[in-house]
Amino acid sequence: MTIDVLRRPGLAERQARAAVSVLFFTNGALFANLLPRYPQIKADLGIGNAAYGLAVAAFPAGAVVAGLAAGVLVRRLGSARAAVASTLLTAAGILVAGLSQSVVLFAMALFLAGAMDAFTDVAQNAHGLRVQRRYGRSIINSFHAIWSIGAVTGGAMAAGAIALDLPLGVHLLISGVLFGIAACVALRFCLPGPDTEPAEGTEAKEAKEANEESREKASAGGGRSAMTSRTRYVLAALVLIATAGTLVEDAGNSWAALYLSDSLNASAALAASGFIALVGAQFVGRILGDRLVDRFGQRAVARAGGFIAAAGMGLALAVPTVPGTILGFAAAGFGVATLVPAAMHEADELPGLKPGSGLTIVSWLMRLGFLLSPPIVGLVADEAGLRLGLLVVPLAGALVVVLAGVLGARKRRPASDEGQESAVAR
């Protein structure tokens, strides 16, 4: 435990934490306003499941293409300004996608929105980790929980717009302007100055580097090649764990409303409940995540979550009903709640990598789940039905159960340290 754990955050840190929370909220809410309108867009464009799957895959494709450039943007603009600028462009891309009259324009707009969303994701996480370093304790899960609140809010706004028969263009313009203004206001309260702060937490950083060096020597026995091999294996497993989380998220994003409306004959407003249930349960899981991880360890939490996702959605697909399917999506969202933050954190702590390298690699490659899932599920749906295509959810949960061993186990500390840390937390 370092001295940073004992330092109380000042006003600037608390304001910056609130500002980053707003950025995560707007990021979740913007795209969630579009997702429940997908069935209407699909019907207006007159396309099948395979073409629809390829079209919506343009969003993660844009994110994958632009992902590695996010670091350059963050270094040039700063993480806070990069997050806000890309948020505004994401809102513009989503509006154009909703107003598109052709599949090509729809896909191009989603590609732009996805590229900007990748910039936002890296930038807001970078600024969130900067604030976390100021706090001296983990707060990253809380930011991802706020993202889930934003997604629920956006989904609820979309469901309300559908129920009120609000035109798609008007609905997306309102959401874009509203959340764009919120992001601009948040920028005023983000941390000033460059993202590298040598004057802050120098002792903690030096202690961390020393710990990493000792862990590297202990686990590798002084052999650099063995450590490199081990690091690559763990990094690959972390990418798969994060990708499994994105696969489940994409099932709610791209297919929940369609499955409930087309396969189970739910109304358009009720069909939006599948996505809302998934992100709502994901929010609950992230709110509880830090305490669960502290108590049981990330490995146990991830394994339990993978089992919940696999069993819950597997049962919903085996016995298809509207209430059961909504509960199945909720179980899937709760099960994968901590996977992406866990993979990012573990990757950022890997020995033998430059600071931030593991986080960048996981953040970029995990988007392959969003890229590959829509067209694969769409092709399966056209051939054998969407119910079979959604088996990707329980399969992703099972994959997490198998790979969770690379995540950290519960850290045992002396009773005196635990009591001191809990007193500081209170």
Side-chain angles (χ1 to χ4, degrees):
M1 184 169 62
T2 68
I3 191 68
D4 283 354
V5 177
L6 303 177
R7 185 171 64 83
R8 296 179 64 85
L11 177 61
E13 285 81 9
R14 295 196 300 271
Q15 288 180 337
R17 181 177 183 178
V20 175
S21 296
V22 171
L23 293 177
F24 272 81
F25 181 90
T26 58
N27 183 244
L30 275 172
F31 194 46
N33 267 276
L34 177 66
L35 295 175
R37 308 298 296 247
Y38 271 176
Q40 175 186 342
I41 295 173
K42 179 175 178 288
D44 290 344
L45 295 177
I47 56 179
N49 287 323
Y52 166 79
L54 289 171
V56 298
F59 186 91
V64 169
V65 170
L68 290 181
V72 177
L73 184 68
V74 168
R75 286 192 294 271
R76 289 187 177 180
L77 297 182
S79 55
R81 282 185 289 180
V84 173
S86 53
T87 293
L88 298 178
L89 292 173
T90 300
I94 289 172
L95 176 60
V96 173
L99 297 176
S100 298
Q101 299 298 312
S102 69
V103 178
V104 173
L105 182 59
F106 175 61
M108 290 176 62
L110 286 182
F111 185 92
L112 170 65
M116 296 303 103
D117 182 72
F119 292 159
T120 304
D121 186 42
V122 172
Q124 69 187 8
N125 273 286
H127 205 76
L129 289 172
R130 182 183 172 194
V131 175
Q132 177 174 273
R133 287 191 292 272
R134 291 282 197 97
Y135 265 69
R137 58 185 171 86
S138 176
I139 58 174
I140 192 67
N141 271 319
S142 67
F143 292 137
H144 287 264
I146 295 297
W147 182 94
S148 297
I149 296 178
V152 172
T153 302
M157 287 175 61
I162 293 171
L164 294 174
D165 218 9
L166 195 66
L168 181 57
V170 175
H171 161 216
L172 294 180
L173 179 62
I174 291 173
S175 68
V177 171
L178 176 63
F179 297 120
I181 292 174
C184 290
V185 173
L187 179 61
R188 296 186 55 196
F189 300 96
C190 289
L191 293 175
D195 288 304
T196 55
E197 301 170 278
E200 288 286 344
T202 302
E203 294 179 1
K205 290 180 181 178
E206 291 175 352
K208 179 180 176 183
E209 291 174 358
N211 288 335
E212 287 183 350
E213 184 177 354
S214 63
R215 282 190 289 114
E216 191 171 336
K217 290 180 179 179
S219 57
R224 182 176 181 84
S225 61
M227 172 52 67
T228 301
S229 177
R230 169 66 179 171
T231 298
R232 288 175 178 172
Y233 164 75
V234 173
L235 187 60
L238 292 174
V239 168
L240 289 175
I241 289 173
T243 302
T246 62
L247 284 172
V248 174
E249 287 185 25
D250 181 71
N253 292 352
S254 302
W255 302 104
L258 282 175
Y259 179 65
L260 284 164
S261 61
D262 292 354
S263 301
L264 301 182
N265 299 317
S267 65
L270 183 59
S273 300
F275 167 73
I276 294 172
L278 186 143
V279 294
Q282 189 180 56
F283 160 72
V284 173
R286 285 173 172 170
I287 286 293
L288 300 175
D290 287 322
R291 292 185 179 181
L292 291 174
V293 169
D294 286 341
R295 183 174 179 83
F296 302 107
Q298 192 62 256
R299 184 182 304 166
V301 172
R303 277 183 176 151
F307 176 78
I308 290 172
M313 197 62 194
L315 181 61
L317 293 173
V319 186
T321 64
V322 171
T325 298
I326 293 174
L327 288 175
F329 278 112
F334 183 83
V336 303
T338 65
L339 295 185
V340 172
M344 287 182 172
H345 176 265
E346 292 286 340
D348 203 40
E349 298 292 325
L350 279 177
L353 294 178
K354 294 181 180 179
S357 296
L359 173 63
T360 301
I361 293 171
V362 170
S363 299
W364 182 57
L365 290 179
M366 76 176 186
R367 292 181 177 273
L368 289 176
F370 285 120
L371 175 61
L372 299 177
S373 178
I376 292 175
V377 173
L379 289 171
V380 173
D382 275 350
E383 294 296 326
L386 186 52
R387 180 182 169 193
L388 187 62
L390 286 175
L391 281 175
V392 66
V393 175
L395 290 176
L399 180 65
V400 172
V401 174
V402 173
L403 296 176
V406 300
L407 297 173
R410 181 187 177 188
K411 296 180 180 178
R412 298 185 181 276
R413 290 187 290 267
S416 60
D417 281 359
E418 290 181 352
Q420 188 179 20
E421 188 167 337
S422 62
V424 172
R426 288 195 295 269

